[in-house]
Amino acid sequence: MENQLVELCLQTASESRDSIEKWRRQRRTLERLPSQLADSLLRRLISRRILFPSLLELFKHSVEELDLRGESSFDAEWIAYIGAFRYLRSLNLSDCRRLTTSALWPIAGLESLRELDLSRCSKVTDAGIRHLLTITTLAKLCISETGVSANGVMLLSSLRNLSVLDLGGLPVTDLALSSLQVLTKLQYLDLWGSKITDKGAAFLQMFPKLSFLNLAWTNVTKLPNLSSLECLNMSNCTINTLLEGDNNKAPLTKLIVSGATFGDEFEAFHYIETTFLTFLDVSNSSLHKFYFLSHLNALEHLDLSRSMIGDDSLKLIACFGVNLKYLNLSHTRVSSAGVETLTGHAPNLEFLSVSHTSVDDVAISYMSMMPSVKVIDLSNTNIKGVIHQLGPESDPVLSLSALQSLQHLGRLNLVDTQVTEAALYPLKNFQELRELSLKSVSLTDISFNFTSSMPKLTNLSIRDGVLTNSGLNSYKPPSTLRMMDLRGCWLLTEDAISSFCKTHPHIEVRHELVHIFPSKQIVSKSASSSRSTLKASQAKQKQEVPVLPCFLDQRLKYSREELLALQYSSVSRAPPHDKDVVLPNTQSD
């Protein structure tokens, strides 16, 4: 009851500008609000765009956390009021493009401030850093992609309590990094895109508590052993050796080397303590040999997308697959034979992507033997949904039916596959599926029928399909559905989509003509409908005929130009001569 009452009070206080003015008269009440309630109220005022600078004065004795990231109206006036916040511990001003160096002066008086984020405030320069030097309590400072130079970075050496420092995108030199050696409490250091070289990397050993390090897009090729390092990012670097040294090996648990170029692959991974490593991202890297994988027994997350890995190397993954939960093989040379290699060796795998590979329907039967899988991405593969048995009288098998045994499968991506509409019939029995993505010019109104019986479906994407207004209006979505992506379904009209959303106001619909949110706000991308639109809609409705699940939609035999002509014509046209069409038997037992 108490929580409900608090929630009601917060809603009332942040309902509108009028309600704010009523509360503003009770100044003493607002000033004495507990910090957690004041923080919550202020966040609501910000999210509803009804906060203005002078109103900040009412929170100066209560608010401890203030997040104004991305506020386009933020300027020196706001800072003037924030400078009076006596108990402010955390201030986020990232992406406030109008924030200038001179505007930072009032912050210098915030004696309780421990966290400050100025990321991507490009007008903040070295002079702004000088304003911050008086805040000796700062433990976290983020100034990535600002106007601060290497000289400005050197000024930070006086902030001895810093444990988190984000200098991403700044021209930090080896000399500037050496000046920061006095920051012995530093645990998190981000230097992506800096001018650090191998010489500067040697200074990193002077930070005894460093656990996170980002050197992506730098010229560092040899990284010395850092005995406390747990997370390392060296994406898009040329790497010769990592963490070289034999004593007190770093307890590295997360390694990201996406897009990296390797000299000697054996040397690069030779010094890494493999017993701790649980997260590895080598996507889009130059790796050709993957022998090091056989030693990674603790690995849970492995991203090999856009790498040179093939079916033979998947045998190495099978050696440690018992702990693997995430595996990304998209844009690789892996085929169904490689997926077979993993069968029985990845009992805890939850995410599997073979997108943009040569995998076909045979692989689906192997995936069905991965009992814990929750997400399968088969987009842009050779999946057809049908396996033709040997023998002239054998009925084709719908391959997707094998996935019915996966009790935890919540997301399935079949975008840009060769799956026919009839092959989607097994989807009716997917009781745990929450997200389904389809994209094909062969999809018709029948696709809706397969999803109506999914009790937990929240997100449905049917793109580029030949869906009609009558099919959309007759669709009975699951009660759980919250989002429909119908982009590319060019036969649908704005009026039909709006009518559907009025009937189902809780569903967000995305389409080129209109984007309708659950709040019933409509963002139209076309001119307002006129009398001609109404006539075209009426003409089209006359031509639409209910389609039975056992027949192929005859609209597929028309070209796009012919369908458009039909859409705006009131004269019925005879369909072309039928061709023999053979569909798999979709009758249930």
Side-chain angles (χ1 to χ4, degrees):
M1 180 63 70
E2 181 180 350
N3 291 336
Q4 294 177 357
L5 181 59
V6 170
E7 177 67 21
L8 182 60
C9 291
L10 291 175
Q11 288 181 359
T12 303
S14 58
E15 187 174 11
S16 64
R17 284 185 174 270
D18 292 336
S19 62
I20 291 174
E21 287 302 321
K22 292 179 181 178
W23 279 78
R24 196 174 187 178
R25 299 187 192 105
Q26 304 181 37
R27 182 186 185 97
R28 185 170 299 179
T29 301
L30 283 175
E31 290 179 347
R32 294 182 178 180
L33 274 180
S35 61
Q36 64 271 22
L37 296 183
D39 293 343
S40 180
L41 177 57
L42 192 54
R43 281 195 298 269
R44 293 182 187 223
L45 295 177
I46 294 172
S47 64
R48 297 181 182 183
R49 302 289 180 181
I50 52 179
L51 179 68
F52 44 91
S54 61
L55 190 60
L56 288 171
E57 187 179 8
L58 301 180
F59 296 91
K60 65 183 181 181
H61 297 297
S62 54
V63 165
E64 295 183 2
E65 298 181 2
L66 182 56
D67 189 343
L68 291 168
R69 73 183 78 177
E71 288 296 321
S72 58
S73 60
F74 186 88
D75 55 19
E77 183 182 2
W78 291 71
I79 285 285
Y81 285 102
I82 294 174
F85 279 45
R86 294 180 57 187
Y87 305 105
L88 193 63
R89 293 185 298 102
S90 175
L91 177 59
N92 191 336
L93 302 176
S94 59
D95 296 297
C96 292
R97 305 294 183 178
R98 298 177 62 182
L99 183 64
T100 63
T101 288
S102 59
L104 290 178
W105 179 79
I107 295 182
L110 297 177
E111 298 179 354
S112 299
L113 195 64
R114 291 182 53 82
E115 301 179 3
L116 177 61
D117 193 340
L118 301 173
S119 302
R120 294 168 296 282
C121 295
S122 57
K123 296 181 180 180
V124 173
T125 62
D126 296 353
I129 297 299
R130 291 188 175 90
H131 293 319
L132 307 180
L133 299 182
T134 59
I135 313 176
T136 56
T137 55
L138 272 182
K140 176 181 178 181
L141 178 61
C142 301
I143 53 174
S144 63
E145 298 182 81
T146 58
V148 177
S149 69
N151 292 330
V153 171
M154 296 175 70
L155 296 174
L156 300 176
S157 58
S158 63
L159 299 176
R160 301 297 179 89
N161 288 314
L162 282 178
S163 60
V164 175
L165 182 57
D166 185 353
L167 304 174
L170 301 185
V172 183
T173 61
D174 294 341
L175 178 61
L177 181 60
S178 67
S179 69
L180 301 181
Q181 295 180 60
V182 294
L183 305 180
T184 55
K185 295 182 179 180
L186 212 58
Q187 300 177 24
Y188 179 110
L189 181 58
D190 198 330
L191 294 167
W192 71 263
S194 65
K195 296 182 179 181
I196 302 298
T197 66
D198 290 344
K199 180 180 179 181
F203 295 121
L204 295 171
Q205 293 180 302
M206 305 306 295
F207 301 111
K209 296 183 179 180
L210 194 63
S211 60
F212 175 96
L213 177 62
N214 187 354
L215 293 172
W217 295 98
T218 64
N219 293 321
V220 176
T221 64
K222 298 180 180 180
L223 185 66
N225 183 45
L226 306 176
S227 59
S228 59
L229 196 64
E230 297 178 4
C231 179
L232 173 63
N233 187 342
M234 289 191 66
S235 299
N236 299 286
C237 294
T238 298
I239 300 175
N240 293 326
T241 58
L242 293 175
L243 305 175
E244 185 175 358
D246 295 323
N247 298 325
N248 297 322
K249 287 188 175 182
L252 197 66
T253 60
K254 185 173 184 178
L255 175 60
I256 304 173
V257 287
S258 175
T261 301
F262 290 88
D264 188 319
E265 297 179 13
F266 176 80
E267 283 294 323
F269 294 93
H270 177 68
Y271 297 98
I272 294 179
E273 178 56 64
T274 59
T275 57
F276 298 106
L277 196 63
T278 60
F279 185 109
L280 177 61
D281 182 353
V282 292
S283 60
N284 201 31
S285 65
S286 68
L287 289 173
H288 287 77
K289 301 176 182 179
F290 297 87
Y291 300 128
F292 65 93
L293 290 177
S294 60
H295 304 291
L296 306 181
N297 297 325
L299 211 58
E300 297 179 1
H301 180 114
L302 178 59
D303 191 340
L304 293 162
S305 60
R306 298 183 182 275
S307 69
M308 298 297 293
I309 196 167
D311 292 340
D312 292 339
S313 297
L314 290 188
K315 297 177 182 179
L316 301 174
I317 299 178
C319 296
F320 62 84
V322 64
N323 294 316
L324 203 59
K325 295 181 180 180
Y326 178 103
L327 180 60
N328 192 339
L329 299 170
S330 63
H331 293 87
T332 63
R333 298 181 297 174
V334 169
S335 68
S336 296
V339 178
E340 180 184 11
T341 306
L342 299 176
T343 304
H345 298 284
N348 297 306
L349 192 66
E350 298 178 357
F351 178 99
L352 175 62
S353 175
V354 289
S355 172
H356 291 85
T357 65
S358 60
V359 162
D360 57 21
D361 292 271
V362 176
I364 294 181
S365 60
Y366 303 134
M367 295 177 188
S368 66
M369 290 182 276
M370 300 175 182
S372 301
V373 72
K374 298 178 181 179
V375 179
I376 296 180
D377 187 351
L378 297 170
S379 60
N380 294 274
T381 59
N382 295 325
I383 301 293
K384 298 179 179 179
V386 178
I387 298 178
H388 295 281
Q389 304 281 355
L390 298 177
E393 298 182 358
S394 300
D395 292 332
V397 175
L398 301 183
S399 59
L400 293 177
S401 60
L403 299 180
Q404 296 178 19
S405 61
L406 299 177
Q407 300 179 1
H408 304 288
L409 184 61
R411 192 194 315 169
L412 180 62
N413 190 342
L414 295 171
V415 167
D416 288 328
T417 59
Q418 302 176 40
V419 175
T420 62
E421 193 164 59
L424 296 175
Y425 184 80
L427 295 179
K428 299 181 67 174
N429 300 318
F430 283 43
Q431 300 299 300
E432 298 297 321
L433 206 63
R434 290 173 172 78
E435 298 182 25
L436 174 63
S437 300
L438 305 170
K439 182 182 178 184
S440 174
V441 294
S442 66
L443 299 175
T444 66
D445 295 337
I446 301 175
S447 303
F448 285 131
N449 298 334
F450 301 138
T451 65
S452 295
S453 59
M454 296 180 182
K456 296 183 179 180
L457 192 66
T458 60
N459 292 58
L460 173 62
S461 177
I462 305 179
R463 299 187 58 184
D464 293 354
V466 194
L467 306 181
T468 67
N469 291 342
S470 61
L472 178 62
N473 290 327
S474 61
Y475 175 46
K476 295 181 180 179
S479 59
T480 54
L481 194 64
R482 292 297 178 266
M483 194 283 290
M484 286 181 63
D485 188 349
L486 302 176
R487 286 174 293 175
C489 298
W490 50 278
L491 282 178
L492 297 177
T493 64
E494 182 179 337
D495 291 340
I497 297 174
S498 299
S499 175
F500 175 83
C501 290
K502 288 180 181 178
T503 306
H504 307 283
H506 59 283
I507 299 178
E508 174 189 349
V509 177
R510 301 175 183 176
H511 191 270
E512 286 82 358
L513 296 176
V514 63
H515 191 165
I516 302 181
F517 298 91
S519 59
K520 300 182 182 180
Q521 296 177 348
I522 302 177
V523 180
S524 180
K525 298 184 179 179
S526 64
S528 58
S529 301
S530 60
R531 187 180 302 174
S532 61
T533 305
L534 179 60
K535 289 182 179 179
S537 177
Q538 292 174 344
K540 184 166 51 177
Q541 289 176 0
K542 290 180 181 180
Q543 297 173 47
E544 291 173 350
V545 180
V547 183
L548 297 176
C550 57
F551 295 101
L552 185 67
D553 195 321
Q554 299 300 308
R555 288 166 299 183
L556 297 177
K557 298 180 180 180
Y558 292 98
S559 67
R560 185 182 181 98
E561 290 72 19
E562 289 173 327
L563 279 170
L564 282 173
L566 282 173
Q567 182 179 4
Y568 295 102
S569 172
S570 58
V571 181
S572 176
R573 298 178 57 182
H577 181 67
D578 289 346
K579 298 180 181 179
D580 294 334
V581 178
V582 179
L583 293 177
N585 183 12
T586 60
Q587 299 297 323
S588 58
D589 295 336

